[in-house]
Amino acid sequence: MSPITPAALGELIALFYTAPDIGDAISGAILFPEALLQSDSNGISFVRGLNAAGVLPGVKVDQGLIPLGDDCPGETETKGLVGLLERCKLYREQGARFAKWRAALKVPPSEHAIERNAAQLAEYAKICHEAGLVPLVEPELLIDGSHDAEAAEHATIATITACISHLRRLNVPLKAVLLKPQMVIPGIEWKEGPRPAPEKVAERTLHALRQCVPPEIPGIMFLSGGQSEVEATRNLNQLNLLGKDDPWALSFSFGRALQASVLQLWAVDKKSLDECKAMATKLAKANGQAVLGQYQTGTHPSVTAPDVMLQESFRGWIPGP
């Protein structure tokens, strides 16, 4: 599929918020800052369209990854703290109600990478609250690599523990913070056995979270990286079945697992907007059922290959020539 143009991206955003009953299963959508001021082909602003659908507009506020330093090869920090308060206040005026800042850590992460990124996430969260935005705290563990699930679990505990510590240090109210981690799964290049079953993913993920996430955190919004559309939904469903007595809402902040089938249909015949919208609604509904622990195996609407994991090109920092 060729790179998406700004005009096509606008059509795609409008496709999702005009999908029937999309607000029944999705409560928020993350936009790039410029999209807060953009409108669809009918002149309806994206912010207005999302609000009309019952979906709160959010905004990506970080400015990308930069290398952490020569002592930490391949590791990164995130830029964007300079001027962030002013930008967040502006985004709030433009209609955003929550924000996201992405840290990306390889597995296993160095202690310096953990502390540096946790400190930045906490500073970002504090600024968001000052500006009236709810922060999504995203210490993403990259799925690139051959690490096993045990290594991912150790890294999850270490990174989230550091994030909570730094949030407390800055007196950020945890009851107004949402956490956005990866599920505990092996790296994309791990070949030592079959992909872990949903029961194993849920057990490891909850075992990790119970050691590092305090009950004040109201919700955990999982990423879907490295999983197929069906796999991500089944894993989320199992998390909610096993975690029904845990203090947090266990939900989703999926990218590809909410879009892959829609994009596949859209690429084949962009004129079939009704079919694309119907697929968007079906995907949202399947994951909404998973949040309730009510997803039924075999009912997923995905049209992507069931054994194909949804992996974007490497999402860390790639040095230039």
Side-chain angles (χ1 to χ4, degrees):
M1 189 175 175
S2 58
I4 193 166
T5 65
L9 179 59
E11 291 178 26
L12 187 61
I13 294 171
L15 182 159
F16 275 94
Y17 70 65
T18 55
D21 304 318
I22 197 73
D24 290 349
I26 293 178
S27 59
I30 302 167
L31 302 175
F32 286 101
E34 56 270 23
L36 292 172
L37 298 177
Q38 293 173 346
S39 301
D40 63 22
S41 59
N42 294 316
I44 299 173
S45 73
F46 294 154
V47 168
R48 179 184 167 193
L50 287 167
N51 282 321
V55 180
L56 289 176
V59 61
K60 168 184 161 63
V61 300
D62 70 80
Q63 296 177 332
L65 305 176
I66 55 175
L68 190 53
D70 293 339
D71 294 336
C72 301
E75 296 191 287
T76 61
E77 58 181 313
T78 307
K79 63 181 179 180
L81 287 175
V82 176
L84 181 59
L85 179 58
E86 291 73 19
R87 297 201 311 275
C88 283
K89 287 180 177 179
L90 177 62
Y91 301 150
R92 168 79 189 185
E93 291 175 2
Q94 293 171 345
R97 292 298 177 262
F98 68 97
K100 95 136 189 169
W101 173 289
R102 174 179 176 256
L105 298 100
K106 69 178 186 178
V107 180
S110 69
E111 184 64 27
H112 181 49
I114 291 172
E115 288 297 315
R116 180 64 173 164
N117 282 283
Q120 291 177 335
L121 282 164
E123 182 64 27
Y124 138 80
K126 180 181 179 182
I127 290 171
C128 281
H129 281 154
E130 291 178 17
L133 300 175
V134 173
L136 276 175
V137 172
E138 182 180 353
E140 179 184 352
L141 295 178
L142 296 172
I143 58 171
D144 306 273
S146 58
H147 57 272
D148 61 15
E150 183 176 4
E153 182 177 349
H154 291 322
T156 296
I157 295 169
T159 55
I160 294 179
T161 296
C163 285
I164 298 299
S165 176
H166 281 275
L167 288 167
R168 291 191 189 280
R169 194 174 302 169
L170 294 184
N171 295 313
V172 176
L174 298 184
K175 65 181 180 181
V177 170
L178 296 175
L179 192 62
K180 186 179 177 182
Q182 181 66 275
M183 296 180 196
V184 177
I185 57 175
I188 203 78
E189 297 168 18
W190 181 75
K191 306 296 183 185
E192 300 302 314
R195 295 288 297 173
E199 293 77 13
K200 291 296 183 183
V201 173
E203 287 171 4
R204 276 198 178 273
T205 302
L206 289 170
H207 182 260
L209 297 177
R210 288 165 182 162
Q211 296 182 62
C212 56
V213 183
E216 299 99 303
I217 295 287
I220 300 173
M221 314 290 123
F222 291 102
L223 295 159
S224 61
Q227 305 169 69
S228 70
E229 284 181 320
V230 176
E231 187 180 10
T233 303
R234 291 183 64 200
N235 288 341
L236 179 63
N237 187 70
Q238 194 63 35
L239 277 161
N240 278 284
L241 289 175
L242 295 185
K244 63 182 185 301
D245 295 325
D246 285 297
W248 332 282
L250 302 175
S251 191
F252 59 95
S253 183
F254 292 170
R256 292 300 178 93
L258 276 176
Q259 301 170 9
S261 285
V262 176
L263 288 169
Q264 185 165 315
L265 294 175
W266 198 56
V268 171
D269 184 1
K270 209 169 67 173
K271 295 180 181 179
S272 298
L273 289 180
D274 288 342
E275 186 178 0
C276 293
K277 290 179 183 181
M279 176 58 71
T281 298
K282 290 175 183 177
L283 289 168
K285 182 179 178 180
N287 287 291
Q289 291 171 337
V291 169
L292 301 174
Q294 297 176 0
Y295 168 74
Q296 299 296 315
T297 300
T299 62
H300 203 284
S302 176
V303 296
T304 60
D307 58 344
V308 174
M309 291 175 285
L310 303 175
Q311 181 190 19
E312 299 179 51
S313 57
F314 177 62
R315 282 166 50 82
W317 179 80
I318 301 175

